[in-house]
């Protein structure tokens, strides 16, 4: 792997053009697939492969792309644009359109775009802090980094990754969630065990107990309870008295401890980022209320309540989605935005305000999680923070690259959304939000949410802020991927057996294999989505 003295800049002329082109490609892929299949594919591996292929073109200018850091900027660009266009922009603007309020599409687009940029900026300022340490799992980021490193160094590492990728492709072909299997070899065992149990309950609650945890809002209630406690734990982590640090360390196992001396974001920086982020969300919520015209439909008290609740919901949404993404590699953005919608309905906001609330909440989280994955990729490629200055400079270049990609995604959505909506191509989740708003809610729903919030809170409290077992358990309950539970739990069992037999030296080869499983799954999902879309 190359070690350039100065990190490559995104503003090199060819780099800027290449990244804009890949961002347009990523945005189109994201929009097309989310409207036809309802999911957003990971394009990071695709971006890395494109950069590797460019490096092999026998032109002097393109040889620079043998640099793993330039390849990293390309994958950051395409990945940011894919999730930005599909999740942060198209899903939010599809909600008012599906409600028949086409006049609110542009106001929603403005609000969602601003929320997306703020979302990514907060993650940038929180990445490698006590709350979101770079040393945490961020599994898709690990997979992309290992793919780029294997392409650069070859040898045994490339062989292991190749074997893992082939196994990942084969497993995915047989409908086994190989990304879930791979994550089991990388993440916190406690958190992922609870994630696997949650997935199992979601899959088998009806055949085993004749109970649907989704329809009865059990999963949502558990996430509410776990989320509230997680938010309190996050606040205590960031705003706690430094003198309590040593006491807190004794409450965690050695494997869960964070070496604070190696963190590149201090507690004051994290506090400032969270405070500024919340104020930014307040301003965006007010702006949405003004330009959409809903300001005239609510009393002053209701308007203030809407602005504060919308900002708080968006803020909580990104943190919960970010925590789930960091530990499991999966983020339940749709479901957490749905919880925000349920709360808004119980408060009594009018239908149009609810549509904008759901869109605003949905716009935060995906960009936050995806940028976390991208920065983890860069962190590994830059030597896991060994050179602090180089790490910070590279992270800054990735951040700028991501922001440019989000800008490209915004322009792409602005130019193309009419063609999608004119064909009634709206992300399927938007129809769920709209039908929920139209059906209304009841005291029974509120009761279910309250009852099941209690065990969710207890589980999260027992696990503590480092393991996040409550949030991961709720994440599993909210995800309906067939047999993912077996992939996670079997993966954890294999990992424990191998570690007991081989010791800690087995961790590195297992991580590389796991990265291959995840990369193979991502490649299969991407090309399978393209194939299905063409049918």
């Amino acid at each position: 792997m190359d070690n350039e003295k100065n990190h490559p800049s995104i503003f090199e002329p060819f780099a800027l053009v290449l990244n804009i082109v890949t961002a347009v490609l990523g945005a189109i892929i994201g929009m097309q697939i989310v409207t036809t299949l309802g999911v957003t594919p990971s394009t990071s591996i695709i971006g890395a492969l494109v950069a590797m292929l460019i490096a092999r073109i026998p032109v002097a200018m393109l040889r620079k792309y043998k640099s793993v850091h330039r390849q990293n900027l390309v994958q950051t660009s395409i990945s940011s644009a894919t999730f930005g266009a599909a999740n942060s922009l198209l899903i939010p603007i599809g909600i008012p359109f599906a409600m028949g309020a086409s006049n609110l599409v542009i106001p929603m687009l403005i609000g969602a775009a601003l929320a997306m940029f703020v979302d990514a900026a907060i993650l940038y300022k929180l990445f490698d802090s006590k709350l979101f340490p770079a040393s945490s799992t961020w599994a898709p980021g690990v997979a992309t980094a290992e793919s780029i490193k294997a392409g650069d160094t070859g040898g045994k590492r490339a062989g292991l990754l190749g074997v893992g990728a082939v196994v990942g492709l084969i497993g995915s072909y047989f409908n086994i969630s190989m990304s879930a299997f791979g994550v089991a070899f990388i993440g916190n065992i406690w958190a992922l065990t609870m994630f696997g149990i949650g997935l199992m309950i979601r899959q088998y609650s009806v055949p085993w107990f004749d109970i649907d945890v989704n329809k009865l809002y059990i999963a949502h209630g558990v996430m509410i309870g776990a989320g509230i406690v997680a938010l309190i734990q996050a606040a205590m982590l960031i705003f706690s008295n430094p003198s309590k640090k040593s006491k807190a360390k004794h409450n965690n196992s050695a494997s869960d401890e964070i070496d604070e001396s190696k963190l590149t974001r201090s507690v004051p920086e994290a506090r400032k980022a969270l405070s500024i982020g919340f104020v930014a969300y307040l301003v965006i919520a007010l702006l949405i209320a003004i330009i959409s015209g809903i300001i005239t439909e609510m009393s002053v008290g209701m308007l203030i309540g809407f602005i504060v609740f919308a900002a708080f919901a968006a803020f909580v949404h990104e943190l919960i989605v970010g925590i789930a993404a960091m530990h499991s590699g999966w983020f339940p953005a749709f479901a957490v935005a749905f919880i925000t919608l349920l709360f808004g309905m119980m408060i009594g906001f009018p239908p149009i305000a609810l549509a904008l609330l759901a869109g605003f909440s949905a716009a935060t989280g995906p960009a936050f999680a995806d940028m976390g994955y991208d920065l983890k990729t860069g962190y590994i490629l830059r030597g896991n923070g060994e050179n602090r200055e180089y790490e910070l400079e590279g992270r800054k270049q990735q951040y700028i690259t991501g922001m440019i990609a989000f800008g490209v995604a915004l322009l792409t959505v602005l130019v193309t959304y009419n063609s999608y909506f004119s064909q009634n191509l709206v992300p399927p989740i938007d129809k769920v939000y709209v039908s929920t708003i139209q059906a209304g809610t009841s005291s029974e729903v509120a009761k279910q949410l309250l009852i099941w919030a209690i065990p969710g809170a207890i589980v999260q409290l027992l696990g503590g802020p480092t393991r996040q077992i409550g949030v991961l358990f709720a994440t599993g309950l909210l995800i309906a991927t067939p047999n993912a539970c077996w992939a996670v739990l079997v993966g954890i069992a294999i990992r424990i057996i191998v570690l007991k037999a081989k010791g800690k030296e087995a961790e590195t080869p297992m991580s590389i294999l796991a990265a291959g499983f995840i990369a193979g799954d991502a490649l299969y999902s991407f090309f399978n989505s393209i194939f299905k879309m063409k049918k």
Side-chain angles (χ1 to χ4, degrees), residues 170-182:
I170 294 169
S172 298
Y173 177 78
F174 288 104
N175 296 317
I176 299 170
S177 179
M178 295 307 293
S179 60
F181 185 63

Side-chain angles (χ1 to χ4, degrees), residues 198 202 213-214 219-220 223 332 335-336 339 473-480:
R202 174 63 189 268
V213 297
N214 190 56
H220 303 83
M223 179 58 91
V336 180
I339 291 169
F473 177 57
T475 301
L477 290 175
L478 289 166
I479 291 173

Side-chain angles (χ1 to χ4, degrees), residues 119-142:
D119 195 34
I122 293 174
L123 185 279
Y124 173 64
K125 290 295 185 180
L126 291 181
F127 187 78
D128 205 28
S129 67
K130 285 172 69 179
L131 195 54
F132 291 99
S135 58
S136 277
T137 309
W138 303 104
V142 175

Side-chain angles (χ1 to χ4, degrees), residues 69-366:
H69 306 300
R70 284 185 170 83
Q71 291 171 16
N72 182 36
L73 293 182
V74 174
Q75 74 81 21
T76 298
S77 181
I78 193 169
S79 175
S80 299
T82 300
F83 281 96
N87 291 64
S88 297
L89 298 175
L90 199 63
I91 286 175
I93 67 173
I95 299 172
F97 175 80
M99 278 194 75
S102 299
N103 59 309
L104 295 181
V105 167
I106 292 300
M108 184 74 262
L109 181 60
I110 294 169
L114 291 171
M116 173 180 70
F117 285 113
V118 170
D119 195 34
I122 293 174
L123 185 279
Y124 173 64
K125 290 295 185 180
L126 291 181
F127 187 78
D128 205 28
S129 67
K130 285 172 69 179
L131 195 54
F132 291 99
S135 58
S136 277
T137 309
W138 303 104
V142 175
T144 306
E146 290 297 342
S147 299
I148 293 173
K149 284 168 73 176
D152 181 57
T153 59
K156 186 179 177 182
R157 180 181 292 270
L160 279 172
L161 187 81
V163 169
V166 170
V167 173
L169 285 165
I170 294 169
S172 298
Y173 177 78
F174 288 104
N175 296 317
I176 299 170
S177 179
M178 295 307 293
S179 60
F181 185 63
V183 166
F185 290 87
I186 302 173
N188 180 285
I189 289 176
W190 287 97
L192 289 173
T193 298
M194 292 304 292
F195 178 55
I197 292 170
L199 288 166
M200 180 175 284
I201 292 172
R202 174 63 189 268
Q203 180 167 342
Y204 295 106
S205 64
V206 175
W208 287 356
F209 310 111
D210 200 28
I211 294 170
D212 191 323
V213 297
N214 190 56
K215 285 187 178 177
L216 292 175
Y217 298 100
I218 294 171
H220 303 83
V222 172
M223 179 58 91
I224 288 168
I228 289 170
V229 173
L231 192 67
I232 294 168
Q233 289 171 333
M236 290 175 68
L237 207 60
I238 296 297
F239 296 100
S240 62
N241 190 328
S243 65
K244 295 180 181 177
K245 284 179 186 175
S246 57
K247 185 179 177 182
K249 278 190 178 182
H250 292 295
N251 294 331
N252 297 317
S253 67
S255 61
D256 291 327
E257 285 181 15
I258 297 167
D259 187 347
E260 292 180 31
S261 66
K262 292 184 178 180
L263 296 175
T264 52
R265 295 295 188 200
S266 66
V267 168
E269 281 181 292
R271 287 176 187 164
K272 185 178 178 181
L274 290 169
S275 302
I276 293 173
F278 184 71
V279 172
Y281 285 139
L282 280 173
V283 172
I284 297 168
L286 174 61
L287 184 64
I288 291 172
I290 292 170
I291 62 178
S292 67
I294 64 168
I295 194 169
T296 60
E297 296 182 17
M298 295 186 283
S299 65
V300 174
M302 182 69 83
L303 176 65
I304 293 171
F306 173 82
I307 293 167
V308 173
F309 179 75
F312 181 73
F315 186 72
V316 171
H317 184 264
E318 73 176 2
L319 291 180
I320 297 301
V321 168
I323 288 168
M326 177 173 68
H327 285 284
S328 73
W330 302 41
F331 52 89
F334 297 164
V336 180
F338 185 71
I339 291 169
T340 298
L341 178 59
L342 290 176
F343 265 106
M345 291 168 71
M346 286 186 282
I347 291 170
F349 295 128
I352 292 299
L354 288 170
L356 296 172
L357 173 67
F360 182 42
S361 179
T364 65

